[in-house]
Amino acid sequence: MVKVIDSHYLAITAIVTVGYQLIFFVITALFKFDQVTDFAGSTNFVILAVLTLVLKGTWHYRQIVLTVLVVVWGLRLGLFLLMRILQWGEDRRFDEMRGNIGKLVVFWIFQAVWVWTVSLPVTFVNASNGGRLFQPADVIGWTMWVAGFLIEATADQQKLSFNKCPENKGRWCDVGVWKYSRHPNYFGEMLLWWGIYVASLPVLKGVEYLVIIGPVFLTLLLFFVSGIPLLEESADKKYGNLGAYRHYKKTTSPLILLPRGVYGYLPKWCKTVFLFEFPLYSRNLPQETTA
């Protein structure tokens, strides 16, 4: 076991995260090369998980499993996003940032906070002695991770294949899992990180339960900041005047996978309260015109 600054490795993981993100920030700022952004974020999770596992050196099965889960997720997502952006040529999110160093700094700081915060459950598990023997929370958490990983990976691949097809140009993706959710990839990502938190519960005690801030931060981020709102706004501006799109949006769940025949007939209050159909997701949808 190696103790670095503090026993929970909070300081060393923060330092490594800031340093790693700083490297890619400099690359982006100097060379206007923003294709590495998502790769830098995803692989940072991998580095923190492996680093804390090795530093502690306990090699408890719970630590090994959670570290492997984070590594598999981070490498899969990082490489997928890197290959995709290299095909696209540029990241449109940075159109307003490339010439504004202030906005660029804020973005990279926020990414560092995202990585460090969401990694907290696995950081605490790896900094512990592994906790109690096999617990139901282990199976539940791992099952949630597997389901979330498969949903996210499937959604990513299906949308990539859809967008590559020339006849789909100018259309929104509504095939595969996208028939049941407008953002199945985000649903998968939330589910797998909540799964990691659940699998960390046998190790936690007292104030350590506050690592729930990790999945909570991710959930709030995707719900209200950089995830669903931005994509809903973009889609509404592109397709909002099309009746077929409006019908798709009305009958398709924003997050949780549900058959359209079920979701479409639910009352509005039920969609908002239980299925996260928040009003801000339609604030850019053009008003329907009446003849």
Side-chain angles (χ1 to χ4, degrees), residues 67-126:
T67 297
V68 169
L69 296 186
V70 172
V71 169
V72 170
W73 171 81
L75 292 180
R76 199 287 308 176
L77 183 62
L79 291 174
F80 170 80
L81 295 176
L82 180 62
M83 294 300 102
R84 188 183 67 176
I85 196 61
L86 290 177
Q87 291 177 7
W88 286 356
E90 65 177 15
D91 193 332
R92 287 170 294 182
R93 294 175 302 173
F94 289 87
D95 288 346
E96 296 181 0
M97 297 186 197
R98 293 187 185 96
N100 190 321
I101 193 67
K103 289 184 177 180
L104 206 58
V105 168
V106 170
F107 173 87
W108 284 95
I109 290 175
F110 196 80
Q111 176 149 291
V113 172
W114 166 62
V115 171
W116 185 84
T117 304
V118 177
S119 293
L120 283 175
V122 73
T123 298
F124 270 65
V125 169
N126 285 350

Side-chain angles (χ1 to χ4, degrees), residues 55-246:
L55 285 178
K56 184 65 177 181
T58 306
W59 306 104
H60 189 280
Y61 79 87
R62 185 174 288 116
Q63 298 168 325
I64 295 172
V65 170
L66 288 187
T67 297
V68 169
L69 296 186
V70 172
V71 169
V72 170
W73 171 81
L75 292 180
R76 199 287 308 176
L77 183 62
L79 291 174
F80 170 80
L81 295 176
L82 180 62
M83 294 300 102
R84 188 183 67 176
I85 196 61
L86 290 177
Q87 291 177 7
W88 286 356
E90 65 177 15
D91 193 332
R92 287 170 294 182
R93 294 175 302 173
F94 289 87
D95 288 346
E96 296 181 0
M97 297 186 197
R98 293 187 185 96
N100 190 321
I101 193 67
K103 289 184 177 180
L104 206 58
V105 168
V106 170
F107 173 87
W108 284 95
I109 290 175
F110 196 80
Q111 176 149 291
V113 172
W114 166 62
V115 171
W116 185 84
T117 304
V118 177
S119 293
L120 283 175
V122 73
T123 298
F124 270 65
V125 169
N126 285 350
S128 73
N129 291 319
R132 295 169 287 176
L133 296 177
F134 199 71
Q135 299 291 315
D138 292 310
V139 179
I140 296 172
W142 299 344
T143 301
M144 291 172 64
W145 184 93
V146 170
F149 180 82
L150 292 176
I151 292 170
E152 182 180 38
T154 300
D156 284 342
Q157 195 57 49
Q158 287 177 341
K159 189 169 186 178
L160 182 65
S161 300
F162 181 88
N163 289 334
K164 281 184 176 180
C165 192
E167 53 262 37
N168 291 329
K169 186 177 182 180
R171 292 183 55 202
W172 57 94
C173 184
D174 60 352
V175 300
V177 293
W178 297 84
K179 291 188 296 185
Y180 309 105
S181 168
R182 304 202 300 272
H183 305 282
N185 53 333
Y186 290 155
F187 175 60
E189 186 164 341
M190 289 183 195
L191 183 60
L192 70 87
W193 278 106
W194 277 102
I196 287 177
Y197 171 72
V198 170
S200 74
L201 291 177
V203 169
L204 306 178
K205 54 187 177 181
V207 73
E208 293 176 350
Y209 285 104
L210 290 177
V211 298
I212 194 174
I213 192 177
V216 168
F217 182 82
L218 174 70
T219 301
L220 295 177
L221 181 68
L222 294 179
F223 269 150
F224 302 113
V225 185
S226 67
I228 297 176
L230 294 182
L231 294 180
E232 289 287 317
E233 178 181 356
S234 176
D236 287 354
K237 289 180 178 179
K238 285 183 182 178
Y239 314 116
N241 291 312
L242 301 177
Y245 169 77
R246 300 179 78 97

Side-chain angles (χ1 to χ4, degrees), residues 43-62:
T43 54
N44 202 155
F45 284 96
V46 174
I47 291 172
L48 296 190
V50 173
L51 174 66
T52 52
L53 176 69
V54 173
L55 285 178
K56 184 65 177 181
T58 306
W59 306 104
H60 189 280
Y61 79 87
R62 185 174 288 116

